[in-house]
Amino acid sequence: MEEKILTLHPQGKQGVNILKRRYDQIKDDILKVLENEDEVTYQYLSDKLVHEMSDSFDGKVVWYVVTVKQDLEARGIIERVPGTSPHKIRIK
């Protein structure tokens, strides 16, 4: 049985259990984009990862990007940039 992780939500809502290997892959890719780009819109991040991962990822990339992004926000690893519309994110 594969290892799972319970994600957190920035608004304190119930998290979800997902496979740790999928979580780690999406987390690493989100952080890699943010390290290279500094600040990005959520749409840019999502589009980029969908484009790069759709052929090799065994799940719905968009759903995992949303879930892992929210978890990283809740853990204080990344943050929304205040006053941006559409909202941007960056490493905290």
Side-chain angles (χ1 to χ4, degrees), residues 2 24 41 43 51 62 66 80:
E2 289 191 70
D24 289 342
T41 64
Q43 189 66 52
H51 177 73
V62 172
V66 169
R80 288 184 179 208

Side-chain angles (χ1 to χ4, degrees), residues 8-59:
L8 303 177
H9 192 281
Q11 296 173 341
K13 296 178 183 177
Q14 178 74 31
V16 294
N17 277 307
I18 62 175
L19 292 177
K20 187 168 182 326
R21 67 177 169 82
R22 289 182 181 155
Y23 174 90
D24 289 342
Q25 184 179 2
I26 296 288
K27 174 186 170 190
D28 291 346
D29 287 353
I30 288 173
L31 294 177
K32 184 169 67 174
V33 169
L34 293 176
E35 287 168 0
N36 291 330
E37 305 277 344
D38 193 34
E39 290 181 1
V40 298
T41 64
Y42 166 73
Q43 189 66 52
Y44 172 84
L45 176 68
S46 179
D47 289 349
K48 183 172 179 64
L49 295 183
V50 167
H51 177 73
E52 291 176 358
M53 301 176 75
S54 286
D55 292 338
S56 61
F57 191 77
D58 64 336

Side-chain angles (χ1 to χ4, degrees), residues 1 3 11 15 39 44 46 48 60 66-67 72 84 90:
M1 190 162 172
E3 183 179 1
Q11 296 173 341
E39 290 181 1
Y44 172 84
S46 179
K48 183 172 179 64
K60 295 214 179 232
V66 169
T67 303
L72 295 175
T84 57
R90 64 183 173 205

